[in-house]
Amino acid sequence: MKMLYSTLLFIFFYRSTRATALTYNVVNLGAKGDGKTDSTKYFLSAWASACASTSPATIYVPKGNYLLTKADFHGENCKNDAIAIRIDGTLLAPSDYNAIGNAGNWIKFESVSGVSIYGGVLDGRGTSLWACKASSKTCPTGVTTLSFHNSKNIAINGLTSSNSQMFHIVINGCHNVKLQGMKILAPSNSPNTDGIHIQLSSGVTVLNSRIATGDDCISIGPGTSNLWIENIACGPGHGISIGSLGWELQEPGVQNVTVKTVTFTDTTNGVRIKTWGRPSNGFVRGVVFQHLLMANVQNPIIIDQNYCPNNKNCPSQNSGMKISDVTYQDIHGTSGTKVAVKFDCSKKNPCSGIRLEEVNLSYKNQPAEASCANAGGTSTGVIKPSSCL
Protein backbone atom coordinates (compact mmCIF):
# COMPACT_ATOMS: atom_id res chain seq x y z
CA MET A 1 0.00 0.00 0.00
CA LYS A 2 2.84 2.32 0.90
CA MET A 3 4.52 1.64 -2.45
CA LEU A 4 1.25 2.31 -4.32
CA TYR A 5 0.84 5.58 -2.44
CA SER A 6 4.42 6.59 -3.30
CA THR A 7 3.84 5.72 -6.96
CA LEU A 8 0.63 7.75 -7.12
CA LEU A 9 2.35 10.68 -5.41
CA PHE A 10 5.19 10.51 -7.95
CA ILE A 11 2.73 10.45 -10.86
CA PHE A 12 0.82 13.40 -9.37
CA PHE A 13 3.94 15.52 -8.91
CA TYR A 14 5.30 14.46 -12.30
CA ARG A 15 2.09 15.50 -14.03
CA SER A 16 1.87 18.74 -12.04
CA THR A 17 5.46 19.63 -12.88
CA ARG A 18 4.86 18.69 -16.50
CA ALA A 19 1.71 20.85 -16.66
CA THR A 20 3.49 23.76 -15.03
CA ALA A 21 6.45 23.41 -17.36
CA LEU A 22 4.16 23.69 -20.37
CA THR A 23 2.48 26.92 -19.28
CA TYR A 24 4.56 29.93 -20.26
CA ASN A 25 3.55 33.04 -18.32
CA VAL A 26 4.82 36.10 -20.17
CA VAL A 27 5.25 38.02 -16.91
CA ASN A 28 7.54 35.32 -15.54
CA LEU A 29 9.58 35.69 -18.72
CA GLY A 30 9.97 39.46 -18.20
CA ALA A 31 6.88 41.13 -19.69
CA LYS A 32 5.47 44.08 -17.77
CA GLY A 33 1.76 44.92 -17.70
CA ASP A 34 2.36 48.62 -17.11
CA GLY A 35 1.29 49.75 -20.60
CA LYS A 36 4.68 51.44 -21.15
CA THR A 37 7.39 48.78 -21.32
CA ASP A 38 7.85 47.07 -24.69
CA SER A 39 7.05 43.43 -23.97
CA THR A 40 7.31 42.10 -27.52
CA LYS A 41 10.42 40.00 -27.01
CA TYR A 42 8.92 38.22 -24.00
CA PHE A 43 5.85 37.21 -26.00
CA LEU A 44 8.14 35.93 -28.77
CA SER A 45 10.19 34.05 -26.17
CA ALA A 46 7.04 32.35 -24.86
CA TRP A 47 6.13 31.42 -28.42
CA ALA A 48 9.59 29.96 -29.08
CA SER A 49 9.35 27.81 -25.95
CA ALA A 50 5.84 26.60 -26.77
CA CYS A 51 6.92 25.81 -30.34
CA ALA A 52 9.90 23.79 -29.17
CA SER A 53 7.66 21.48 -27.13
CA THR A 54 6.13 18.37 -28.66
CA SER A 55 3.37 18.40 -26.02
CA PRO A 56 0.40 20.81 -25.83
CA ALA A 57 1.46 24.16 -24.37
CA THR A 58 -0.22 27.30 -23.05
CA ILE A 59 1.03 30.87 -23.29
CA TYR A 60 -0.60 32.85 -20.48
CA VAL A 61 -1.03 36.64 -20.38
CA PRO A 62 -2.20 37.82 -16.92
CA LYS A 63 -4.26 40.93 -16.25
CA GLY A 64 -2.48 44.16 -17.17
CA ASN A 65 -1.71 46.32 -20.20
CA TYR A 66 1.10 45.01 -22.39
CA LEU A 67 2.76 47.20 -25.00
CA LEU A 68 3.66 45.30 -28.16
CA THR A 69 5.37 46.59 -31.28
CA LYS A 70 5.28 44.48 -34.46
CA ALA A 71 5.06 40.83 -33.39
CA ASP A 72 5.47 37.98 -35.91
CA PHE A 73 4.82 34.45 -34.72
CA HIS A 74 6.21 31.91 -37.19
CA GLY A 75 5.29 28.23 -37.22
CA GLU A 76 7.46 26.85 -40.02
CA ASN A 77 9.77 25.14 -37.52
CA CYS A 78 7.20 24.54 -34.79
CA LYS A 79 7.16 21.04 -33.30
CA ASN A 80 3.88 21.78 -31.54
CA ASP A 81 0.42 21.70 -33.12
CA ALA A 82 -1.52 22.47 -29.93
CA ILE A 83 -0.66 25.92 -28.57
CA ALA A 84 -3.27 27.80 -26.53
CA ILE A 85 -2.85 31.52 -25.89
CA ARG A 86 -4.95 32.58 -22.90
CA ILE A 87 -5.21 36.34 -22.46
CA ASP A 88 -6.63 37.96 -19.34
CA GLY A 89 -5.05 41.32 -20.14
CA THR A 90 -4.97 43.95 -22.89
CA LEU A 91 -2.36 44.14 -25.64
CA LEU A 92 -1.61 47.73 -26.69
CA ALA A 93 -0.22 48.93 -30.01
CA PRO A 94 2.29 51.81 -29.78
CA SER A 95 0.64 55.17 -29.17
CA ASP A 96 2.75 56.67 -31.99
CA TYR A 97 1.29 55.21 -35.19
CA ASN A 98 4.59 55.81 -37.02
CA ALA A 99 6.19 53.04 -34.96
CA ILE A 100 4.40 50.28 -36.88
CA GLY A 101 2.16 52.19 -39.31
CA ASN A 102 3.78 50.82 -42.49
CA ALA A 103 4.52 47.32 -41.17
CA GLY A 104 1.42 45.74 -42.72
CA ASN A 105 0.50 43.74 -39.63
CA TRP A 106 0.73 44.34 -35.90
CA ILE A 107 0.26 40.77 -34.58
CA LYS A 108 0.85 38.18 -37.28
CA PHE A 109 0.80 34.38 -37.27
CA GLU A 110 2.44 32.73 -40.29
CA SER A 111 2.34 29.01 -41.18
CA VAL A 112 1.02 27.88 -37.79
CA SER A 113 -1.13 24.86 -36.98
CA GLY A 114 -3.35 24.18 -33.99
CA VAL A 115 -3.23 27.65 -32.41
CA SER A 116 -6.12 28.74 -30.16
CA ILE A 117 -6.62 32.21 -28.66
CA TYR A 118 -8.94 32.64 -25.67
CA GLY A 119 -10.14 36.00 -24.37
CA GLY A 120 -8.19 39.21 -24.20
CA VAL A 121 -8.37 42.69 -25.70
CA LEU A 122 -6.31 43.94 -28.63
CA ASP A 123 -6.24 47.75 -28.65
CA GLY A 124 -4.92 49.08 -31.96
CA ARG A 125 -5.04 52.71 -30.75
CA GLY A 126 -5.97 53.85 -34.23
CA THR A 127 -7.64 57.16 -33.32
CA SER A 128 -4.65 59.40 -34.03
CA LEU A 129 -3.95 57.72 -37.39
CA TRP A 130 -7.58 58.18 -38.49
CA ALA A 131 -7.29 61.86 -37.55
CA CYS A 132 -4.11 62.14 -39.61
CA LYS A 133 -5.88 60.61 -42.62
CA ALA A 134 -8.88 62.91 -42.18
CA SER A 135 -6.59 65.95 -42.24
CA SER A 136 -5.17 64.98 -45.67
CA LYS A 137 -1.64 64.88 -44.29
CA THR A 138 0.88 62.27 -45.39
CA CYS A 139 0.24 59.34 -43.07
CA PRO A 140 1.25 55.69 -42.83
CA THR A 141 -1.21 53.18 -44.29
CA GLY A 142 -1.84 51.60 -40.90
CA VAL A 143 -1.65 47.96 -39.81
CA THR A 144 -4.00 45.02 -39.51
CA THR A 145 -4.39 44.21 -35.82
CA LEU A 146 -4.37 40.38 -35.99
CA SER A 147 -3.70 38.21 -39.03
CA PHE A 148 -3.27 34.53 -39.79
CA HIS A 149 -1.52 33.53 -43.01
CA ASN A 150 -1.10 30.08 -44.54
CA SER A 151 -2.27 28.41 -41.34
CA LYS A 152 -4.68 25.65 -40.34
CA ASN A 153 -6.76 24.44 -37.39
CA ILE A 154 -7.13 27.86 -35.77
CA ALA A 155 -9.64 28.83 -33.06
CA ILE A 156 -10.29 32.31 -31.66
CA ASN A 157 -12.79 32.56 -28.84
CA GLY A 158 -14.00 35.59 -26.86
CA LEU A 159 -11.44 38.04 -28.22
CA THR A 160 -12.10 41.80 -28.34
CA SER A 161 -10.43 43.99 -30.97
CA SER A 162 -10.87 47.73 -30.61
CA ASN A 163 -9.78 50.75 -32.65
CA SER A 164 -7.67 48.95 -35.20
CA GLN A 165 -5.57 51.21 -37.43
CA MET A 166 -6.81 49.30 -40.50
CA PHE A 167 -8.44 45.85 -40.71
CA HIS A 168 -9.10 44.22 -37.35
CA ILE A 169 -8.69 40.53 -38.26
CA VAL A 170 -7.48 38.94 -41.50
CA ILE A 171 -7.66 35.25 -42.39
CA ASN A 172 -5.54 34.66 -45.49
CA GLY A 173 -4.63 31.34 -47.08
CA CYS A 174 -5.97 29.33 -44.13
CA HIS A 175 -7.96 26.11 -43.62
CA ASN A 176 -10.27 25.14 -40.76
CA VAL A 177 -10.66 28.35 -38.77
CA LYS A 178 -13.31 29.03 -36.13
CA LEU A 179 -13.96 32.49 -34.67
CA GLN A 180 -16.65 32.88 -32.04
CA GLY A 181 -17.76 35.26 -29.33
CA MET A 182 -15.82 38.11 -30.96
CA LYS A 183 -16.30 41.80 -30.20
CA ILE A 184 -14.90 44.09 -32.87
CA LEU A 185 -15.31 47.79 -32.20
CA ALA A 186 -14.38 51.02 -34.00
CA PRO A 187 -16.31 54.25 -34.71
CA SER A 188 -18.43 54.54 -37.85
CA ASN A 189 -16.08 57.21 -39.25
CA SER A 190 -12.89 55.14 -38.87
CA PRO A 191 -11.51 54.44 -42.38
CA ASN A 192 -10.84 50.92 -43.69
CA THR A 193 -11.41 49.25 -40.34
CA ASP A 194 -13.00 46.06 -41.73
CA GLY A 195 -13.97 43.74 -38.89
CA ILE A 196 -13.01 40.33 -40.32
CA HIS A 197 -11.54 39.87 -43.79
CA ILE A 198 -11.32 36.36 -45.25
CA GLN A 199 -9.59 35.39 -48.50
CA LEU A 200 -7.97 32.37 -50.16
CA SER A 201 -9.32 30.27 -47.29
CA SER A 202 -11.62 27.29 -46.80
CA GLY A 203 -13.59 25.91 -43.88
CA VAL A 204 -13.90 29.21 -41.96
CA THR A 205 -16.72 29.67 -39.41
CA VAL A 206 -17.68 32.96 -37.71
CA LEU A 207 -20.25 32.66 -34.89
CA ASN A 208 -21.98 34.66 -32.16
CA SER A 209 -20.14 37.94 -32.62
CA ARG A 210 -20.76 41.67 -32.44
CA ILE A 211 -19.07 43.86 -35.04
CA ALA A 212 -19.25 47.67 -35.21
CA THR A 213 -16.76 49.37 -37.53
CA GLY A 214 -16.16 52.08 -40.11
CA ASP A 215 -16.08 49.60 -43.00
CA ASP A 216 -17.38 46.09 -43.75
CA CYS A 217 -18.33 44.06 -40.70
CA ILE A 218 -17.13 41.01 -42.63
CA SER A 219 -15.51 41.13 -46.08
CA ILE A 220 -15.00 38.09 -48.23
CA GLY A 221 -12.20 38.12 -50.77
CA PRO A 222 -11.16 35.93 -53.73
CA GLY A 223 -10.59 32.21 -53.22
CA THR A 224 -12.95 31.80 -50.26
CA SER A 225 -14.94 28.56 -50.03
CA ASN A 226 -17.03 26.71 -47.45
CA LEU A 227 -17.58 29.78 -45.28
CA TRP A 228 -20.26 29.77 -42.56
CA ILE A 229 -21.32 33.01 -40.81
CA GLU A 230 -24.06 32.84 -38.17
CA ASN A 231 -25.56 34.89 -35.34
CA ILE A 232 -23.85 38.23 -35.96
CA ALA A 233 -24.82 41.75 -34.87
CA CYS A 234 -23.46 44.15 -37.50
CA GLY A 235 -23.56 47.92 -37.22
CA PRO A 236 -22.47 50.55 -37.64
CA GLY A 237 -20.46 49.62 -40.71
CA HIS A 238 -20.80 48.70 -44.37
CA GLY A 239 -22.51 45.33 -43.87
CA ILE A 240 -21.31 41.91 -45.02
CA SER A 241 -19.65 42.04 -48.43
CA ILE A 242 -18.46 39.48 -50.91
CA GLY A 243 -15.86 41.58 -52.69
CA SER A 244 -14.55 43.66 -54.12
CA LEU A 245 -13.79 40.87 -56.57
CA GLY A 246 -12.55 40.79 -60.15
CA TRP A 247 -9.63 43.20 -60.02
CA GLU A 248 -7.35 40.51 -61.49
CA LEU A 249 -7.96 38.83 -64.83
CA GLN A 250 -7.01 35.46 -63.34
CA GLU A 251 -8.70 35.28 -59.96
CA PRO A 252 -9.94 32.35 -57.83
CA GLY A 253 -13.70 32.34 -57.25
CA VAL A 254 -15.91 32.44 -54.17
CA GLN A 255 -18.25 29.51 -53.48
CA ASN A 256 -20.33 27.78 -50.81
CA VAL A 257 -20.95 30.74 -48.51
CA THR A 258 -23.74 30.82 -45.90
CA VAL A 259 -24.69 34.00 -44.01
CA LYS A 260 -27.38 33.20 -41.45
CA THR A 261 -29.17 34.94 -38.58
CA VAL A 262 -27.63 38.41 -38.80
CA THR A 263 -29.03 41.73 -37.57
CA PHE A 264 -27.88 44.81 -39.49
CA THR A 265 -28.41 48.15 -37.72
CA ASP A 266 -27.82 51.54 -39.41
CA THR A 267 -25.36 50.05 -41.91
CA THR A 268 -24.68 51.36 -45.43
CA ASN A 269 -25.29 47.88 -46.84
CA GLY A 270 -26.86 44.66 -45.67
CA VAL A 271 -25.61 41.78 -47.82
CA ARG A 272 -23.58 42.92 -50.81
CA ILE A 273 -21.77 41.27 -53.71
CA LYS A 274 -19.39 43.72 -55.33
CA THR A 275 -17.21 43.21 -58.42
CA TRP A 276 -15.02 45.53 -60.41
CA GLY A 277 -16.21 46.55 -63.86
CA ARG A 278 -13.14 44.88 -65.35
CA PRO A 279 -12.32 41.71 -67.31
CA SER A 280 -11.92 38.70 -65.00
CA ASN A 281 -12.49 34.95 -65.08
CA GLY A 282 -13.59 34.84 -61.43
CA PHE A 283 -16.99 33.76 -60.12
CA VAL A 284 -19.39 33.77 -57.18
CA ARG A 285 -21.70 30.76 -56.75
CA GLY A 286 -23.51 28.75 -54.12
CA VAL A 287 -24.34 31.61 -51.70
CA VAL A 288 -27.18 31.60 -49.15
CA PHE A 289 -28.31 34.69 -47.22
CA GLN A 290 -30.87 33.50 -44.67
CA HIS A 291 -32.85 34.83 -41.66
CA LEU A 292 -31.64 38.43 -41.81
CA LEU A 293 -33.08 41.46 -40.02
CA MET A 294 -32.49 44.92 -41.49
CA ALA A 295 -32.92 48.03 -39.31
CA ASN A 296 -32.58 51.26 -41.32
CA VAL A 297 -30.07 49.78 -43.76
CA GLN A 298 -29.23 51.90 -46.82
CA ASN A 299 -28.89 49.01 -49.29
CA PRO A 300 -30.33 45.88 -47.66
CA ILE A 301 -29.80 43.59 -50.69
CA ILE A 302 -27.35 44.63 -53.40
CA ILE A 303 -25.30 43.16 -56.22
CA ASP A 304 -23.02 45.76 -57.80
CA GLN A 305 -20.99 44.55 -60.78
CA ASN A 306 -20.03 48.03 -61.91
CA TYR A 307 -17.76 48.99 -59.04
CA CYS A 308 -15.19 51.47 -60.32
CA PRO A 309 -14.23 54.35 -58.01
CA ASN A 310 -13.55 57.54 -59.95
CA ASN A 311 -14.19 55.58 -63.17
CA LYS A 312 -10.52 54.62 -63.41
CA ASN A 313 -8.98 51.33 -64.58
CA CYS A 314 -12.26 49.90 -65.89
CA PRO A 315 -12.03 49.48 -69.68
CA SER A 316 -15.56 49.28 -71.14
CA GLN A 317 -17.03 49.16 -67.58
CA ASN A 318 -17.81 45.47 -68.02
CA SER A 319 -17.32 42.90 -65.27
CA GLY A 320 -16.17 39.46 -66.37
CA MET A 321 -17.22 37.91 -63.04
CA LYS A 322 -20.01 35.31 -63.23
CA ILE A 323 -22.51 35.39 -60.33
CA SER A 324 -24.91 32.45 -60.04
CA ASP A 325 -26.92 30.40 -57.55
CA VAL A 326 -27.50 33.07 -54.88
CA THR A 327 -30.45 32.65 -52.48
CA TYR A 328 -32.05 35.37 -50.32
CA GLN A 329 -34.39 33.72 -47.81
CA ASP A 330 -36.42 35.19 -44.92
CA ILE A 331 -35.08 38.73 -45.03
CA HIS A 332 -37.17 41.46 -43.46
CA GLY A 333 -36.99 44.90 -41.87
CA THR A 334 -36.51 48.49 -42.99
CA SER A 335 -34.51 50.12 -45.74
CA GLY A 336 -32.90 53.54 -45.34
CA THR A 337 -33.42 54.23 -49.05
CA LYS A 338 -36.34 53.70 -51.42
CA VAL A 339 -34.55 51.00 -53.44
CA ALA A 340 -34.23 48.11 -51.01
CA VAL A 341 -33.27 45.43 -53.54
CA LYS A 342 -30.78 46.24 -56.29
CA PHE A 343 -29.30 43.74 -58.73
CA ASP A 344 -26.93 45.65 -61.03
CA CYS A 345 -25.31 42.76 -62.85
CA SER A 346 -22.80 42.46 -65.67
CA LYS A 347 -23.91 43.01 -69.27
CA LYS A 348 -21.28 40.50 -70.36
CA ASN A 349 -22.12 37.87 -67.74
CA PRO A 350 -25.67 38.42 -66.40
CA CYS A 351 -26.48 37.07 -62.93
CA SER A 352 -28.36 33.76 -63.05
CA GLY A 353 -30.09 31.53 -60.52
CA ILE A 354 -30.97 34.39 -58.14
CA ARG A 355 -33.67 33.20 -55.73
CA LEU A 356 -35.85 35.42 -53.54
CA GLU A 357 -37.86 33.60 -50.86
CA GLU A 358 -39.95 35.44 -48.26
CA VAL A 359 -38.41 38.91 -48.49
CA ASN A 360 -40.27 41.78 -46.81
CA LEU A 361 -38.57 45.18 -46.72
CA SER A 362 -40.21 48.59 -46.29
CA TYR A 363 -39.10 52.21 -46.54
CA LYS A 364 -40.55 54.80 -44.12
CA ASN A 365 -43.59 52.59 -43.53
CA GLN A 366 -44.20 52.55 -47.29
CA PRO A 367 -43.46 49.89 -49.90
CA ALA A 368 -39.84 49.94 -51.02
CA GLU A 369 -38.67 49.43 -54.61
CA ALA A 370 -36.55 46.87 -56.44
CA SER A 371 -34.20 47.49 -59.36
CA CYS A 372 -32.78 44.86 -61.72
CA ALA A 373 -30.33 44.98 -64.61
CA ASN A 374 -29.06 41.83 -66.31
CA ALA A 375 -30.38 39.59 -63.52
CA GLY A 376 -32.32 36.35 -63.89
CA GLY A 377 -33.97 34.16 -61.28
CA THR A 378 -37.12 33.21 -59.39
CA SER A 379 -39.16 34.41 -56.43
CA THR A 380 -41.45 32.51 -54.05
CA GLY A 381 -43.63 33.49 -51.08
CA VAL A 382 -44.19 37.07 -49.96
CA ILE A 383 -41.83 39.38 -51.84
CA LYS A 384 -41.83 43.09 -50.89
CA PRO A 385 -40.75 45.03 -52.80
CA SER A 386 -42.16 43.15 -55.77
CA SER A 387 -39.53 41.12 -57.57
CA CYS A 388 -37.96 42.61 -60.67
CA LEU A 389 -36.22 39.39 -61.68
Side-chain angles (χ1 to χ4, degrees):
M1 189 72 181
K2 189 174 180 184
M3 182 175 286
L4 178 62
Y5 177 78
S6 300
T7 304
L8 289 172
L9 205 61
F10 171 78
I11 290 170
F12 172 78
F13 280 116
Y14 171 76
R15 284 184 174 170
S16 299
T17 306
R18 189 167 175 265
T20 305
L22 295 184
T23 296
Y24 302 98
N25 185 323
V26 295
V27 169
N28 293 345
L29 293 170
K32 288 187 167 50
D34 59 7
K36 300 173 185 175
T37 307
D38 183 357
S39 292
T40 312
K41 67 180 180 181
Y42 306 111
F43 279 71
L44 293 174
S45 174
W47 174 257
S49 298
C51 265
S53 168
T54 53
S55 300
T58 297
I59 296 170
Y60 178 60
V61 182
K63 289 181 179 178
N65 297 308
Y66 301 86
L67 176 63
L68 293 187
T69 55
K70 181 172 171 56
D72 288 354
F73 300 92
H74 289 275
E76 294 90 344
N77 300 314
C78 235
K79 297 176 182 175
N80 199 339
D81 61 0
I83 299 177
I85 303 171
R86 296 187 178 274
I87 307 173
D88 284 339
T90 296
L91 310 188
L92 296 173
S95 56
D96 177 4
Y97 52 74
N98 287 303
I100 58 171
N102 285 319
N105 299 278
W106 174 30
I107 300 168
K108 176 182 177 183
F109 290 84
E110 175 81 45
S111 301
V112 302
S113 176
V115 170
S116 302
I117 299 176
Y118 299 94
V121 176
L122 307 180
D123 186 350
R125 297 166 106 177
T127 311
S128 56
L129 177 60
W130 310 331
C132 176
K133 290 180 175 180
S135 70
S136 301
K137 294 177 186 172
T138 302
C139 319
T141 306
V143 291
T144 291
T145 287
L146 173 66
S147 62
F148 282 84
H149 300 263
N150 307 312
S151 298
K152 62 183 179 181
N153 306 329
I154 305 302
I156 307 176
N157 199 327
L159 178 72
T160 297
S161 175
S162 67
N163 296 331
S164 183
Q165 292 183 8
M166 282 272 287
F167 290 19
H168 286 259
I169 295 170
V170 167
I171 306 297
N172 174 47
C174 295
H175 176 66
N176 189 23
V177 179
K178 187 171 186 178
L179 302 91
Q180 60 182 335
M182 312 288 289
K183 284 184 187 171
I184 298 177
L185 308 169
S188 60
N189 62 349
S190 56
N192 303 118
T193 52
D194 293 49
I196 300 169
H197 178 72
I198 301 153
Q199 65 179 27
L200 300 172
S201 297
S202 63
V204 178
T205 304
V206 184
L207 302 174
N208 309 330
S209 296
R210 179 183 165 221
I211 306 174
T213 72
D215 211 297
D216 294 331
C217 290
I218 300 174
S219 55
I220 300 158
T224 300
S225 63
N226 302 324
L227 169 63
W228 190 279
I229 297 167
E230 184 174 2
N231 197 20
I232 307 294
C234 168
H238 294 181
I240 293 179
S241 290
I242 297 176
S244 314
L245 303 176
W247 173 257
E248 301 289 346
L249 179 60
Q250 303 291 329
E251 186 174 283
V254 171
Q255 59 189 331
N256 300 336
V257 174
T258 298
V259 176
K260 182 178 180 181
T261 316
V262 180
T263 298
F264 298 89
T265 306
D266 297 325
T267 52
T268 53
N269 304 288
V271 285
R272 172 172 60 168
I273 301 174
K274 180 172 70 168
T275 75
W276 281 86
R278 293 165 55 91
S280 176
N281 67 350
F283 61 85
V284 177
R285 62 181 177 232
V287 178
V288 176
F289 298 115
Q290 186 181 57
H291 309 321
L292 309 181
L293 176 62
M294 306 286 173
N296 190 38
V297 173
Q298 299 296 306
N299 302 290
I301 294 173
I302 181 168
I303 294 177
D304 176 8
Q305 288 209 261
N306 292 294
Y307 180 66
C308 191
N310 305 317
N311 292 314
K312 290 182 179 177
N313 303 310
C314 303
S316 77
Q317 263 296 131
N318 224 337
S319 175
M321 296 282 300
K322 177 61 180 172
I323 297 175
S324 62
D325 186 19
V326 182
T327 298
Y328 301 87
Q329 184 182 68
D330 182 27
I331 300 175
H332 57 279
T334 57
S335 175
T337 57
K338 190 145 192 168
V339 179
V341 177
K342 184 176 183 180
F343 297 131
D344 186 10
C345 297
S346 168
K347 294 190 292 282
K348 182 180 179 183
N349 271 327
C351 299
S352 62
I354 306 295
R355 286 184 290 276
L356 296 173
E357 303 173 10
E358 300 292 342
V359 174
N360 191 345
L361 296 164
S362 63
Y363 169 64
K364 292 186 176 178
N365 297 317
Q366 300 290 323
E369 294 178 1
S371 168
C372 292
N374 311 307
T378 60
S379 56
T380 56
V382 174
I383 304 295
K384 295 181 181 179
S386 298
S387 173
C388 57
L389 291 169

